[in-house]
Amino acid sequence: MAQGDVSKPNVVLIIADDLGWSGLGSYGSDLHETPNLDRFAAEGMKFTSFYAASPVCSPTRASILTGKYPARLHMTTHFENTGDYWRNYGVEHIDSTHLLQQPVTVGNLPQREWTLAEALRDDGYFTAHVGKWHLGNVEHYPENHGFDLNIGGTQWGSPDTYWYPWTGNKTWMHIRYIPGIVYGAGKGSYLPDRLTDMALEVIEDRGDQPFFLHLAYHTPHTPMEGKPELVKYFKEKVKPGMKDTNPDFAAMVYSLDENVGRVLNKLNEEGISEETIVIFLSDNGGRTEDFRDWGPITNNAPLKAGKGSLYEGGLRVPCIIKWPGKTKPHASSDFPLVTIDILPTVLDMVGLKKPRPLVDGFSFAHMLSHKGDEVAREAIFWHYPHYYPGTTPVNAVRMGDWKFIHYFDTDSIELYDLSKDLGEVNNVAGENPLVAKQLFASLSLWRADIRAQMPTRNKYFRE
Ligand SMILES: [Ca+2]
């Protein structure tokens, strides 16, 4: 391992789970209260056209750590729906209800992938993962992907419960647990609080090396379990006609914000906030469909739809970055960026030259240091060959203000002008056939180029 270089900035990357674009106060929520993240947004740079590379968890997380499109990794769906997961059971994932068969995808982030953690560790960083991993079985846990320390990371997505001991008796997910956080905790301990306790210890116990903290909260993903006093508070605050109306979700967002505040305060207390890059983002849009007993989870308005969908509500997420000495307070950008850009951007920010992983993403470090306001990329692409509540297998591209969507099962196309129609209400493919044709060609070429896995005719389908 290279010697630590104290002149290198620390990197804290905080990932929220299923927090939609308009889920923070500073991004337009009328119910949620997020004073810490709002203050952080005012101190750092706020991105308003930042996209998840996938509308669901695992693929976006893989894109952050590898800088690659999920379709190139063949990691296009959440772990519990992948070929690697179903293979554990020795069965084919048979679904007779859908016209198309999803491809057999990768759920275990391949060990040959060179992750952001490996790049930083090889550059002398101490690397710690705390929280949700969701990128494969035990052989593919964080400790096998460049992290010196793994607290809480497993193959699973959401926890069975947010309450101590974070496993147990609630649902079929009772076998899920969060390792490495039980000792020293007790009854009433709430998961995001506990993960933060551990993250603060990582910060306190740092040695002479710079550190990379990959802090992935499960919050505000289901199960809907806010702290009772907060749920009560937001129940009383909800008024008819509000955009956001779910007090449980609001309580969970409040706890997320409070814990991000604890991390930021700790950096101040330790006197290292001026030498620590902090990035906050979410892994996909908020869930809008009814789910179990919780009803609709949240609302991403003015964006359309939510988690699982390639409409803006499924993809566009909050993203705030503070690079001390570089980003200016109250800075913002609406230039389209995507989670595959995080890896090259972080490596640029810490001054890592070579060797570097080959990636699909573009560095936007120059945007953060106000030496430019865009990256030289023609388009951003998405490929989601899966069914999910609210969508059928689909792929999409954003080029300039145009957004083009193609559904595989109906072979139907949609074109939206996001500059006039952020809510994707008016399909203008008919009025702009040349634009639609160009974007469709570009999307098809990209799919072929990265060898995206395609859905096939489902032989088990019964009308
Ligand atoms: Ca998620």
Side-chain angles (χ1 to χ4, degrees), residues 88-333:
N88 292 339
Y89 296 90
V91 295
E92 198 179 346
H93 187 190
I94 293 172
D95 172 4
S96 61
T97 63
H98 293 125
L99 176 67
L100 297 179
Q101 170 74 43
Q102 66 175 354
V104 177
T105 57
V106 174
N108 298 323
L109 181 63
Q111 285 170 356
R112 66 176 177 273
E113 293 300 330
W114 192 14
T115 67
L116 176 58
E118 282 167 283
L120 291 174
R121 190 183 60 185
D122 291 350
D123 196 39
Y125 278 73
F126 177 77
T127 54
H129 167 84
V130 178
K132 173 168 166 172
W133 179 246
H134 211 196
L135 288 172
N137 65 23
V138 66
E139 290 166 13
H140 304 83
Y141 277 7
E143 48 270 52
N144 291 320
H145 274 300
F147 287 98
D148 295 314
L149 186 64
N150 170 25
I151 299 171
T154 68
Q155 64 185 305
W156 297 302
S158 58
D160 181 50
T161 172
Y162 281 95
W163 296 103
Y164 175 88
W166 310 290
T167 182
N169 51 19
K170 292 218 163 178
T171 68
W172 60 271
M173 298 195 301
H174 67 278
I175 57 165
R176 298 183 177 191
Y177 62 95
I178 316 283
I181 64 171
V182 172
Y183 182 75
K187 195 168 183 304
S189 183
Y190 189 56
L191 183 54
D193 298 349
R194 185 62 187 152
L195 292 176
T196 307
D197 294 342
M198 306 312 286
L200 299 190
E201 281 190 29
V202 169
I203 295 171
E204 275 172 18
D205 293 348
R206 72 190 183 283
D208 295 332
Q209 289 169 276
F211 67 86
F212 170 46
L213 172 61
H214 184 252
L215 175 54
Y217 290 107
H218 307 74
T219 311
H221 194 296
T222 54
M224 285 292 100
E225 292 179 337
K227 289 183 175 175
E229 66 274 20
L230 291 171
V231 176
K232 180 171 179 287
Y233 169 78
F234 285 108
K235 250 184 195 149
E236 286 164 8
K237 188 181 173 186
V238 174
K239 297 283 179 294
M242 275 183 154
K243 175 186 90 71
D244 289 311
T245 54
N246 185 338
D248 293 280
F249 191 84
M252 293 176 79
V253 171
Y254 187 90
S255 290
L256 170 71
D257 177 80
E258 194 175 38
N259 280 295
V260 173
R262 289 175 65 203
V263 173
L264 298 175
N265 285 340
K266 173 58 80 176
L267 297 175
N268 282 333
E269 284 165 24
E270 296 282 319
I272 55 171
S273 57
E274 288 309 304
E275 56 205 64
T276 304
I277 294 162
V278 180
I279 302 168
F280 173 85
L281 48 75
S282 177
D283 69 338
N284 51 254
R287 188 161 196 152
T288 51
E289 279 79 28
D290 282 15
F291 192 61
R292 303 219 176 103
D293 299 332
W294 298 298
I297 303 299
T298 189
N299 179 357
N300 306 304
L303 307 184
K304 180 172 170 179
K307 180 177 184 177
S309 166
L310 295 194
Y311 294 116
E312 295 287 296
L315 297 172
R316 212 185 270 225
V317 292
C319 175
I320 307 164
I321 301 178
K322 185 177 174 187
W323 184 9
K326 302 284 187 177
T327 45
K328 291 178 185 156
H330 302 286
S332 72
S333 169

Side-chain angles (χ1 to χ4, degrees), residues 16-19 55-58 61 132 221 282-285 307:
D17 197 354
D18 289 12
L19 174 69
V56 296
C57 307
S58 307
R61 290 159 193 273
K132 173 168 166 172
H221 194 296
S282 177
D283 69 338
N284 51 254
K307 180 177 184 177

